[in-house]
Amino acid sequence: MKCLFSAGSLYLLCMLFFRPSAHAQFTLGAQLRTRTEFRDGQGAPLPKGASPAFFTSQRSRLFAGFSGYRFKLGLTVQDVRVWGQDVSTLNRVTAQDYNGLLLHEAWAEIMLLDTVVKNKSLNLKIGRQEIVYDDSRLLGNLDWLQQGRRHDAAVLKYETGPYTLHLGAAFNQNRENAAGTIYNPTPPGNYTATTNGGAMYKSLEYLYGSRKLSAGTISFLFLADQFSKFHPDSTGVKIWENGVHTRMTTGLYFINSFDKLTLTAAGYYQFGKNANAQELNAGLLSAAFQYQLCKSFSAGLGADYTTGGTSTTGKSHAFDPLYGTPHKFWGYMDYFYVANGFGNRGLQDYYLKTKYKAGTKFQLTGDVHEFFSASEVVENGVSLSRKFGTEADLVATYSLTKVISFEAGYSHFWNTTSLTSAAVKNVSNAQSNSNWAYVMVAIRPEMIFK
């Protein structure tokens, strides 16, 4: 009776504040996700004799949605912190580097065409939002990280039949200025701004188009992002100034299933100037297949290639995977294309992926990666082997209910001296074997009121 009274009281409270029409709907939900990790070389090999790390991080989210005639609203508030980060009698909310409470999403989507228009939609989504396309390689919500990723942007969406066309834009400022638009892109807090831990963009524009296939999608992306110009002061500190450097990325993505075989391919080209004012000439190529051997088991092979290095003229060939989800692609130990850099050498990744699914509740995946540098690795004038190492990943997930799920993983990396050299990870006296293990519990209840 107590639970029924509480749900009924919440429903009446929602009706009082929102007063929905016959076509309105209110959604309220939450997520609590804890992840306990053992890190013995995650991100980069540890020096010999260094002690492994062990901790539990927690994401706490509260989200609400409201939809009515020709509009939708979404709001997500989250707190991200490590157990014990705040002592039990003091919450250091004034210390920006440790304050994990933030507004993850707050957006409105307006239906510009009347609902009587069939098979066509023209919507405008404005506000803080996740931007996710295709396989999340270049644009993703980075959900693996507890803090995730979001953008303050406006997106115009047109969809008709199998076709989708999106036009998005963002323009960032630090505050309500009285004059000028100089932007300090240094990310606040203890989280990096981009996939590679670089500076936050000052502005961004993109055009995305896709067409649904019989059992897949083919899509096109053109994205331009601008970064504030700067000059160093006498101590080397960056002084931000007017003007921007513009980087452009464009390419195609393809995925389709043919009976038991699924093919995936992508190619992107990057040009313009990066945040450090270097001329860019870089690219990414990816291809993979997955074959369903039986109802419960599938296996496949794939290869990724990203260019790297710098030419004698100073032009950079280092491809940056923008604002994607690198944890999904280049090994779960996050050695490449995350905040822990690897010298912008570029990457060759040849991998085997397997998946075993027992019913609807249990899944086991096992992957093996062979990593190589895409450009020459030189130390003290001597060329080293291009092989970075081998990684094995094992992940098990179990859904207790639709609301509660458990996940556990173990990864092992066998690295080479090339990976730990000064030109790449720059780890002196590094151990040759690294380990990482985690256990994650996620609880996500949701209620819908009509």
Side-chain angles (χ1 to χ4, degrees):
M1 291 298 293
K2 185 177 179 181
C3 294
L4 291 175
F5 175 76
S6 299
S9 300
L10 182 60
Y11 178 77
L12 291 175
L13 186 63
C14 295
M15 298 303 102
L16 176 63
F17 280 98
F18 290 96
R19 295 184 182 181
S21 67
H23 301 288
Q25 177 174 294
F26 179 71
T27 304
L28 183 66
Q31 182 193 55
L32 191 143
R33 190 174 81 174
T34 63
R35 185 160 67 228
T36 300
E37 297 186 47
F38 171 81
R39 292 185 175 183
D40 184 21
Q42 191 271 348
L46 292 178
K48 292 178 181 177
S51 300
F54 184 80
F55 61 89
T56 297
S57 63
Q58 179 173 313
R59 174 205 281 176
S60 307
R61 279 183 176 176
L62 181 66
F63 53 92
F66 187 73
S67 62
Y69 178 59
R70 296 180 68 167
F71 79 92
K72 295 179 182 178
L73 295 175
L75 176 70
T76 303
V77 178
Q78 73 176 24
D79 178 85
V80 176
R81 62 187 63 245
V82 173
W83 285 7
Q85 177 178 305
D86 300 314
V87 295
S88 61
T89 58
L90 175 67
N91 182 15
R92 296 175 292 175
V93 295
T94 58
Q96 191 177 41
D97 286 355
Y98 294 95
N99 186 8
L101 183 65
L102 58 81
L103 184 66
H104 180 64
E105 287 190 291
W107 52 264
E109 187 163 357
I110 305 166
M111 290 68 172
L112 300 176
L113 295 180
D114 197 284
T115 54
V116 298
V117 178
K118 302 298 182 182
N119 301 321
K120 290 184 181 180
S121 66
L122 181 64
N123 299 349
L124 177 63
K125 188 175 183 180
I126 54 174
R128 179 161 293 189
Q129 57 190 285
E130 294 181 346
I131 298 179
V132 182
Y133 290 107
D134 299 327
D135 58 357
S136 298
R137 188 184 289 272
L138 298 188
L139 288 170
N141 61 2
L142 199 58
D143 191 61
W144 167 254
L145 286 186
Q146 297 284 46
Q147 68 269 23
R149 173 180 284 124
R150 76 292 183 278
H151 303 259
D152 297 324
V155 182
L156 185 65
K157 305 178 179 181
Y158 177 72
E159 298 181 9
T160 176
Y163 297 97
T164 295
L165 188 65
H166 289 185
L167 181 65
F171 186 82
N172 293 329
Q173 288 289 277
N174 299 114
R175 61 187 63 85
E176 295 182 5
N177 295 323
T181 61
I182 291 178
Y183 179 64
N184 183 344
T186 305
N190 56 349
Y191 302 130
T192 57
T194 67
T195 298
N196 291 318
M200 184 65 174
Y201 59 78
K202 180 177 180 178
S203 53
L204 176 148
E205 309 82 33
Y206 71 87
L207 175 67
Y208 172 84
S210 69
R211 187 189 189 285
K212 293 180 181 178
L213 304 175
S214 58
T217 305
I218 185 169
S219 65
F220 165 81
L221 175 69
F222 178 86
L223 184 146
D225 45 357
Q226 290 80 35
F227 302 92
S228 298
K229 290 184 177 180
F230 65 90
H231 66 271
D233 66 8
S234 58
T235 63
V237 176
K238 292 180 179 179
I239 305 299
W240 306 104
E241 57 188 46
N242 284 315
V244 294
H245 301 298
T246 299
R247 175 179 65 181
M248 289 162 281
T249 307
T250 187
L252 297 171
Y253 171 79
F254 168 86
I255 183 171
N256 201 46
S257 295
F258 306 90
D259 193 17
K260 297 182 179 181
L261 180 68
T262 299
L263 297 179
T264 307
Y268 297 98
Y269 175 63
Q270 207 162 68
F271 58 104
K273 286 187 176 182
N274 62 20
N276 294 320
Q278 287 180 292
E279 293 282 348
L280 274 172
N281 181 18
L284 177 151
L285 292 173
S286 174
F289 75 87
Q290 194 81 4
Y291 188 78
Q292 195 73 35
L293 295 167
C294 62
K295 185 178 180 180
S296 59
F297 183 77
S298 66
L301 297 171
D304 290 349
Y305 178 83
T306 58
T307 60
T310 305
S311 67
T312 55
T313 60
K315 181 175 290 188
S316 174
H317 300 293
F319 185 88
D320 188 319
L322 301 180
Y323 313 102
T325 305
H327 181 81
K328 180 180 176 182
F329 300 99
W330 295 295
Y332 294 157
M333 290 187 72
D334 292 338
Y335 272 41
F336 310 102
Y337 294 113
V338 288
N340 193 317
F342 65 108
N344 288 331
R345 310 311 306 168
L347 187 68
Q348 302 176 62
D349 176 16
Y350 305 98
Y351 54 85
L352 164 69
K353 289 181 177 285
T354 63
K355 181 188 293 186
Y356 172 72
K357 196 170 184 179
T360 59
K361 292 190 173 184
F362 180 77
Q363 179 176 288
L364 181 67
T365 62
D367 307 337
V368 178
H369 296 260
E370 285 284 329
F371 296 111
F372 298 83
S373 174
S375 58
E376 191 176 13
V377 179
V378 180
E379 187 171 50
N380 298 324
V382 179
S383 294
L384 304 179
S385 168
R386 290 198 178 192
K387 184 173 180 178
F388 284 152
T390 304
E391 180 175 337
D393 302 316
L394 188 66
V395 176
T397 58
Y398 178 75
S399 298
L400 182 65
T401 68
K402 292 182 178 180
V403 173
I404 305 168
S405 65
F406 300 90
E407 182 174 318
Y410 172 76
S411 296
H412 192 97
F413 202 106
W414 297 267
N415 62 271
T416 65
T417 55
S418 296
L419 180 73
T420 57
S421 66
V424 189
K425 289 288 187 180
N426 192 24
V427 181
S428 300
N429 194 31
Q431 58 189 28
S432 58
N433 288 268
S434 300
N435 302 272
W436 173 61
Y438 72 94
V439 176
M440 187 162 67
V441 182
I443 305 169
R444 181 167 174 149
E446 186 174 304
M447 294 181 291
I448 299 176
F449 305 96
K450 296 183 179 180

